[in-house]
């Protein structure tokens, strides 16, 4: 029994859960992201807006990298708190972004769910739009409800692109410091591949 004691002492932290995870944090020091803005060009820029109550202003974090994975890792180190993408309910895709790459990248991202809805910007990057309105998670939810929209999820949008080569997505702009719906856009893959 005495010869197993050192091995048992080494395994004890694993049994208690102490410092086993790569980022051990208390729940209070976790920033839950509700909206993720994605601008996909030469580099991938991610803008994250935290989930907040009606009275609070969301914290925004932005980071970029040559790939989605590297952008995500940089984003996770951008703030003082641990950043969790498991609560993302909306993806805003910036003007000029490669929509297929965004959808495939988000779908492959194990932390972000495939049920997040997909929105487009009309005149700006997702980063600029989100910075100009301070996130806007509550506003996106009310747009969806008030207009009776059925906004496609990441998975639904990718399936439509695969089957039809096009997908109809809602388009957002900033007006007077809030997010506004200006209609929908039929995003055609061949038209966007051409330029």
């Amino acid at each position: 029994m005495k010869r197993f004691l050192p091995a048992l002492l080494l395994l004890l932290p694993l049994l208690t859960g102490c410092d086993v995870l790569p980022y051990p944090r208390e729940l209070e020091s976790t920033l839950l992201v509700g909206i993720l803005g994605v601008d996909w060009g030469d580099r991938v820029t991610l803008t994250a807006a935290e989930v907040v109550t009606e009275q609070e202003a969301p914290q925004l974090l932005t980071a970029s990298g040559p790939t989605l994975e590297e952008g995500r890792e940089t984003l996770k180190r951008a703030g003082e708190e641990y950043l969790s993408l498991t609560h993302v309910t909306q993806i805003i895709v910036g003007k000029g972004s490669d929509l297929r790459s965004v959808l495939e990248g988000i779908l492959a991202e194990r932390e972000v769910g495939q049920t997040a809805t997909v929105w487009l910007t009309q005149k700006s990057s997702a980063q600029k739009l989100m910075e100009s309105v301070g996130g806007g998670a509550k506003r996106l939810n009310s747009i969806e409800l008030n207009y009776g929209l059925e906004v496609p999820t990441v998975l639904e949008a990718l399936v439509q692109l695969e089957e039809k080569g096009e997908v109809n997505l809602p388009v957002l702009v900033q007006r007077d410091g809030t997010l506004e719906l200006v209609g929908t856009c039929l995003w055609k893959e061949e038209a966007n591949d051409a330029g």
Side-chain angles (χ1 to χ4, degrees):
M1 181 68 173
K2 288 184 180 180
R3 65 180 185 195
F4 294 114
L5 189 59
L8 184 62
L9 290 174
L10 288 173
L11 293 175
L12 195 56
L14 293 175
L15 298 173
T16 63
C18 297
D19 294 325
V20 175
L21 298 173
Y23 303 107
R25 299 276 201 277
E26 295 295 325
L27 186 58
E28 298 84 39
S29 64
T30 299
L31 187 129
L32 301 176
V33 175
I35 299 178
L36 186 64
V38 183
D39 295 299
W40 195 299
D42 295 335
R43 294 179 62 80
V44 178
T45 300
L46 301 176
T47 306
E50 73 174 315
V51 176
V52 293
T53 64
E54 202 70 47
Q55 293 77 27
E56 297 175 310
Q59 181 178 347
L60 290 177
L61 295 173
T62 301
S64 65
T67 65
L68 182 66
E69 296 79 23
E70 291 179 56
R72 184 203 63 218
E73 288 307 313
T74 305
L75 184 66
K76 287 194 164 200
R77 293 189 303 271
E80 293 180 17
E81 302 168 298
Y82 172 71
L83 188 131
S84 172
L85 299 173
T86 57
H87 288 75
V88 173
T89 56
Q90 290 118 352
I91 307 289
I92 298 177
V93 181
K95 182 179 176 163
S97 294
D98 181 349
L99 181 63
R100 178 178 284 275
S101 294
V102 170
L103 296 174
E104 289 175 346
I106 294 295
L107 199 58
E109 176 58 54
R110 68 176 195 260
E111 201 174 339
V112 180
Q114 62 188 18
T115 59
T117 56
V118 183
W119 305 72
L120 297 176
T121 64
Q122 184 180 44
K123 298 179 179 177
S124 68
S125 66
Q127 177 185 359
K128 285 182 183 172
L129 180 75
M130 291 173 68
E131 286 174 350
S132 68
V133 297
K138 297 290 182 188
R139 180 70 181 131
L140 279 181
N141 290 334
S142 66
I143 287 173
E144 207 166 342
L145 293 172
N146 292 342
Y147 288 92
L149 289 176
E150 289 190 25
V151 182
T153 65
V154 171
L155 183 59
E156 291 168 345
L158 190 55
V159 167
Q160 288 178 39
L161 272 183
E162 285 292 327
E163 292 178 351
K164 303 175 187 175
E166 60 187 33
V167 60
N168 200 29
L169 296 171
V171 180
L172 299 168
V173 294
Q174 179 271 133
R175 282 196 189 127
D176 300 323
T178 63
L179 289 173
E180 293 292 332
L181 177 71
V182 292
T184 59
C185 172
L186 187 62
W187 197 93
K188 294 187 177 187
E189 196 155 40
E190 62 277 354
N192 285 285
D193 286 343

